[in-house]
Amino acid sequence: MSYPKPHIIVEGAVQYTLGMMKGNQIVYDFDKMLVYLDAKGKLLFGKKFKIYKEDRDVLYKLCLYFIQDGISCKEFGIDIDKGILLSGPVGCGKTSLIRLLKNLVPHRKPYEVVPTRNIVFGFNHLGYKTIEDYGNTQFFCFDDLGVEPIGRHYGKDCNVMGEILLSRYDLFLDKKIKTHATTNLNAQELEDLYGIRVRSRMRQLFNLVAFENSSVDKRK
């Protein structure tokens, strides 16, 4: 599907203009993107969804990344060729935002958001084929990285997500295939769970974008 005007998104009877064309480039307007994200969020997650004022800084970085504004991203230390690791406390809205933001750029290849627990349950049932399935060239976002249990297939334990992250790292090196993830864990907790080798690969796979630890639980 082609998008001759990817900065204009139609939802039902409403048209959202996210910016303007200058030559063959789109100049995005952050406030207009927020209006669209708020409206799309309500469509996806219900009328209680809203964009919180205290999340604007995180959202600004994420929007810059998803529209692939390389110059502005560089100012924030974000590499547009890597994926995003979105971290923050439970209930801060990570999963909702990562599901929402791909709608901002309908002209780009979408990623599938998959809970890590589901992947491990699949491994327990199907075995190593599951690791192969997530080591392919599809774009994935692994949701809630680090809360999944250890996999167990025919009596053998396996750190399933650790193995998958190593496969995704190889894909990134060979074919520049991106991987995204969300997590409640900090860097040390991730290293304790997956080991130094995987943690080292994660630094090369991901840009870290983090909510403040004081972020409120929006589920309450």
Side-chain angles (χ1 to χ4, degrees):
M1 188 183 294
S2 65
Y3 291 90
K5 295 181 178 179
H7 62 299
I8 298 173
I9 300 178
V10 178
E11 296 287 350
V14 184
Q15 179 174 290
Y16 297 91
T17 302
L18 308 184
M20 56 188 285
M21 294 297 296
K22 280 197 173 179
N24 61 351
Q25 286 191 315
I26 304 167
V27 179
Y28 283 93
D29 182 313
F30 180 55
D31 288 322
K32 289 179 179 176
M33 286 193 281
L34 287 184
V35 169
Y36 169 70
L37 290 172
D38 186 66
K40 183 66 174 178
K42 285 178 170 60
L43 287 173
L44 289 174
F45 310 118
K47 291 182 179 178
K48 288 186 177 180
F49 177 88
K50 70 174 183 174
I51 301 290
Y52 287 80
K53 191 176 180 181
E54 60 265 31
D55 295 342
R56 279 181 68 104
D57 288 349
V58 168
L59 260 172
Y60 183 61
K61 292 176 189 174
L62 290 170
C63 284
L64 289 175
Y65 172 83
F66 278 99
I67 64 173
Q68 294 283 278
D69 183 337
I71 294 171
S72 298
C73 278
K74 200 170 184 180
E75 292 174 16
F76 289 103
I78 295 171
D79 183 339
I80 61 172
D81 292 324
K82 294 183 179 182
I84 290 287
L85 176 62
L86 185 58
S87 77
V90 172
C92 68
K94 301 181 296 296
T95 301
S96 297
L97 287 185
I98 210 75
R99 288 182 182 277
L100 178 60
L101 279 157
K102 62 181 178 179
N103 297 283
L104 199 61
V105 282
H107 54 300
R108 299 194 192 282
K109 185 178 177 180
Y111 50 86
E112 182 184 351
V113 181
V114 190
T116 56
R117 288 176 63 86
N118 292 7
I119 294 172
V120 174
F121 293 151
F123 172 85
N124 293 346
H125 180 58
L126 298 171
Y128 287 87
K129 181 182 182 301
T130 301
I131 293 173
E132 292 171 17
D133 288 346
Y134 288 99
N136 65 23
T137 54
Q138 192 174 337
F139 282 24
F140 290 108
C141 173
F142 300 126
D143 190 32
D144 264 347
L145 188 65
V147 303
E148 75 280 354
I150 286 288
R152 191 168 180 81
H153 186 67
Y154 284 116
K156 286 189 176 181
D157 288 351
C158 177
N159 192 325
V160 177
M161 289 311 304
E163 293 297 326
I164 288 173
L165 288 170
L166 290 174
S167 295
R168 300 298 298 182
Y169 172 75
D170 290 339
L171 273 176
F172 174 67
L173 287 186
D174 294 343
K175 299 179 180 177
K176 295 299 178 191
I177 303 293
K178 291 181 184 177
T179 304
H180 304 307
T182 72
T183 188
N184 303 329
L185 305 186
N186 61 35
Q188 187 57 55
E189 289 168 328
L190 288 167
E191 186 171 309
D192 291 345
L193 188 63
Y194 297 118
I196 293 173
R197 182 168 170 242
V198 173
R199 176 65 189 133
S200 171
R201 302 293 190 270
M202 287 176 71
R203 288 191 188 95
Q204 294 169 274
L205 261 181
F206 297 120
N207 296 286
L208 177 63
V209 178
F211 283 88
E212 296 290 337
N213 287 331
S214 58
S215 294
V216 298
D217 187 341
K218 300 175 178 79
R219 296 172 187 168
K220 292 181 178 177

